[in-house]
Amino acid sequence: ESIKTVLRSPENRILIKRMLIKCADISNPCRPREQCIEWAGRISEEYFAQTDEERRQGLPVVMPVFDRNTCSIPKSQLSFIDYFIIDMFDAWDAFADLPNLMEHLNNNIKYWKGLDARNLRVLRPPPE
């Protein structure tokens, strides 16, 4: 009933649509693990290429943490999750009840923390 009340207001409907778009845009940590890892790799490579190009052209480096020789992908993912994802998706979950997304998020946090605890800077642990 409270959701119906919220949806009656045109301003609230617009806000909810904007939230949906933003959440969809940054939702990678809420995907199943293999999809999350794949997209984390693609995004990291895009940022590595940007940093490489900025250095090649002698431009200021916008994201120095994305130096492909020193970057820890697990640390970058955990920072992104801490800064952008947790509060946003906690709020969205409270509004819309999204247990599957929250389960994937928690599993992915554990995954990245596990790699970071082993001081691994890569997407996946080395084969045993």
Side-chain angles (χ1 to χ4, degrees), residues 88-100:
M88 184 180 293
F89 278 89
D90 279 345
W92 194 238
D93 181 49
F95 177 74
D97 190 27
L98 304 165
N100 291 345

Side-chain angles (χ1 to χ4, degrees), residues 26-33 36 77-78 80-82 84-91 93 98-113:
I26 64 171
S27 66
N28 188 55
C30 298
R31 294 180 183 188
R33 178 171 298 150
C36 176
Q77 290 300 300
L78 290 167
F80 177 74
I81 290 167
D82 286 342
F84 293 104
I85 301 298
I86 290 176
D87 290 342
M88 184 180 293
F89 278 89
D90 279 345
D93 181 49
L98 304 165
N100 291 345
L101 291 182
M102 300 310 287
E103 181 180 352
H104 292 314
L105 175 58
N106 289 325
N107 288 338
N108 290 328
I109 290 170
K110 289 176 190 169
Y111 176 78
W112 297 121
K113 281 184 176 180

